[in-house]
Amino acid sequence: MALEHAILVSLLEKPGSGYELARRFERSIGYFWTATHQQIYRVLKRMEADGMLAVREVPQQGRPDKKEYSVAAPGRALLSAWLHELIEPESMRHDLAVKIRGAAFDDPAALVREVERHRAVHRDRLAHYLAGELRDFTGPDAPTPLDAGQELQHVVLRGGIAYERMTIAWLDDILATLHRLAAAPPAG
Amino acid sequence: MALEHAILVSLLEKPGSGYELARRFERSIGYFWTATHQQIYRVLKRMEADGMLAVREVPQQGRPDKKEYSVAAPGRALLSAWLHELIEPESMRHDLAVKIRGAAFDDPAALVREVERHRAVHRDRLAHYLAGELRDFTGPDAPTPLDAGQELQHVVLRGGIAYERMTIAWLDDILATLHRLAAAPPAG
DNA sequence: CTTGCCTATGCAACTCGTTGCATAGAAAGA
DNA sequence: TCTTTCTATGCAACGAGTTGCATAGGCAAG
């Protein structure tokens, strides 16, 4: 159950509403975790009922009121306990890999456009991460020196960058393989 | 719902029982997808009821009988339809990244052992993948030339290898960052 | 001879995560 | 003016995935 923990971290970094959290999960936190607003609202409600979070109703002008959540002491203790637990390393979980192995029983060439589409998405993500890195950590407008929290955010972002670069190189490898198979005589 | 598709691919590569599938999901298929035996049994039962799979009772000596599943024509059509669909690229989803950002609100140094543990797991996985690559694709006992299915399995395995290498490099980056933070004065 | 592991299948209960839908006021563009 | 988009929250239903437990014979180590 890591969504709880991701929410705690995000709210410690900055308190906010469910809606704001959902947008963060499309951006910085979403580099390594995704969640829809329904999931977030549901978990926020449960965590608040359990005393992990505090809520504050914030009236707004020209837009609906919001509920601003922040981390209460028990929530902080929960996060701390989790940080000291050992968690299992995760695997890749790529639908695309299933498709590629499945293509052996169908038409491999039909996958080319799909792989190219994925490549474009990952290329855009990489560009987005690199722009964020320049803006927040390595560019002229970035704070110097970085504090511990920023250093930790930066190393996570570097992970996202490395992941996208690796993925793009792999997708290129897949495309080269598909083209080789399409060019070669179809028997073995 | 990709577990269905992963099962179809695995059964097309070789028919087998739920138990055998569960073990494959710990190995080759598990490079990029995981599933427990309960999940697999449940999905197999549903897919068989839907006519996607055929079952054959296989009596065995010295061990319990097993149900050997194989892909029926509708299952093959289902897989083919999925292969021609466009799927969304996935994100990383690393618990560890959440922990690292959370460490800013706790003790960063306490994460060192956890990161080192993950590094050891990924190092072992990489060694395992490289051994498999040598055995099945690049070594002297590998078939030459590879057929299309083997080429596709190889490119998926290369993805796993690239992923593990990238992950190990990132974990080293994290360790270096944690040591730097521990050595530096704790203020900003 | 007892404990634990391997093969083999399965139920029950639960949480996690997705999809579709609904509400509702404000702003911006066609 | 009409439609779309943005902010903001939420329900209902379903499917995906996890955890604990149960059964049951064979095999091997202590």
Side-chain angles (χ1 to χ4, degrees):
Chain A
M1 189 190 302
L3 179 54
E4 269 192 2
H5 305 121
I7 285 175
L8 286 170
V9 170
S10 191
L11 289 179
L12 279 170
E13 286 176 355
K14 189 168 165 42
S17 68
Y19 188 84
E20 283 162 355
L21 280 172
R23 294 212 309 169
R24 287 184 215 171
F25 273 78
E26 288 167 9
R27 310 173 138 268
S28 66
I29 316 279
Y31 295 164
F32 48 84
W33 204 270
T34 57
T36 59
H37 74 275
Q38 284 85 350
Q39 257 187 92
I40 291 167
Y41 283 125
R42 195 204 288 150
V43 173
L44 282 174
K45 188 161 281 189
R46 191 187 65 217
M47 289 174 77
E48 197 241 312
D50 293 348
M52 302 293 136
L53 302 179
V55 205
R56 196 168 61 93
E57 293 270 345
V58 179
Q60 296 188 117
Q61 303 156 330
R63 51 180 66 179
D65 297 354
K66 66 175 181 179
K67 296 182 184 172
E68 195 186 72
Y69 290 89
S70 54
V71 179
R76 212 171 164 127
L78 182 71
L79 180 66
S80 184
W82 178 68
L83 289 174
H84 290 268
E85 265 174 36
L86 298 181
I87 56 174
E88 284 309 301
E90 299 188 72
S91 303
M92 296 189 61
R93 177 149 303 218
H94 258 292
D95 289 59
L96 200 56
V98 180
K99 273 202 173 187
I100 289 156
R101 281 176 78 142
F105 307 97
D106 203 82
D107 176 22
L111 274 186
V112 169
R113 282 175 61 195
E114 170 85 321
V115 176
E116 282 171 347
R117 208 177 105 261
H118 281 242
R119 194 190 186 286
V121 169
H122 287 283
R123 184 201 56 211
D124 291 351
R125 268 190 212 163
L126 175 59
H128 180 234
Y129 293 177
L130 287 172
E133 187 184 36
L134 204 65
R135 184 187 63 239
D136 296 334
F137 303 117
T138 57
D141 296 341
T144 42
L146 302 174
D147 65 29
Q150 288 161 340
E151 289 281 7
L152 291 169
Q153 285 186 29
H154 189 191
V155 77
V156 169
L157 181 55
R158 287 201 297 274
I161 290 169
Y163 176 80
E164 297 303 332
R165 286 204 168 118
M166 180 279 296
T167 302
I168 290 168
W170 180 49
L171 292 171
D172 284 340
D173 188 5
I174 293 169
L175 286 171
T177 303
L178 291 175
H179 286 133
R180 195 149 32 80
L181 289 175
Chain B
M1 188 192 301
L3 179 54
E4 270 192 359
H5 305 120
I7 285 175
L8 286 170
V9 169
S10 191
L11 289 179
L12 280 169
E13 287 176 356
K14 189 167 164 43
S17 68
Y19 188 83
E20 283 163 355
L21 280 173
R23 294 211 309 168
R24 286 184 216 170
F25 273 79
E26 288 167 9
R27 309 173 140 266
S28 66
I29 316 279
Y31 295 165
F32 48 83
W33 204 268
T34 57
T36 60
H37 74 274
Q38 286 85 350
Q39 257 187 88
I40 291 166
Y41 283 125
R42 195 204 286 150
V43 173
L44 282 173
K45 188 161 279 189
R46 192 187 65 216
M47 290 174 76
E48 198 240 313
D50 293 347
M52 302 291 136
L53 302 178
V55 205
R56 196 167 61 93
E57 293 270 348
V58 179
Q60 294 187 117
Q61 303 156 332
R63 50 180 68 179
D65 296 355
K66 67 175 181 180
K67 297 182 183 172
E68 194 185 74
Y69 290 88
S70 53
V71 179
R76 211 170 165 129
L78 182 71
L79 180 66
S80 184
W82 178 67
L83 288 174
H84 289 268
E85 265 173 38
L86 298 181
I87 56 174
E88 285 309 300
E90 299 186 73
S91 303
M92 295 189 63
R93 178 149 303 218
H94 258 291
D95 288 58
L96 199 55
V98 180
K99 273 202 175 189
I100 289 157
R101 283 177 76 143
F105 307 96
D106 203 82
D107 176 21
L111 274 184
V112 169
R113 282 175 61 196
E114 169 85 322
V115 176
E116 281 171 347
R117 209 177 105 262
H118 281 241
R119 193 192 187 285
V121 170
H122 286 283
R123 183 202 56 212
D124 291 350
R125 267 191 212 163
L126 175 60
H128 181 233
Y129 294 177
L130 287 172
E133 186 183 37
L134 204 66
R135 184 186 64 238
D136 296 334
F137 303 118
T138 57
D141 296 340
T144 42
L146 302 174
D147 66 29
Q150 288 161 341
E151 289 281 5
L152 292 169
Q153 286 185 30
H154 189 193
V155 77
V156 168
L157 181 55
R158 287 201 297 274
I161 289 169
Y163 176 81
E164 297 303 333
R165 286 203 168 117
M166 180 279 296
T167 302
I168 290 167
W170 179 50
L171 293 171
D172 285 339
D173 187 5
I174 294 168
L175 285 171
T177 303
L178 291 175
H179 286 132
R180 194 149 31 81
L181 289 175

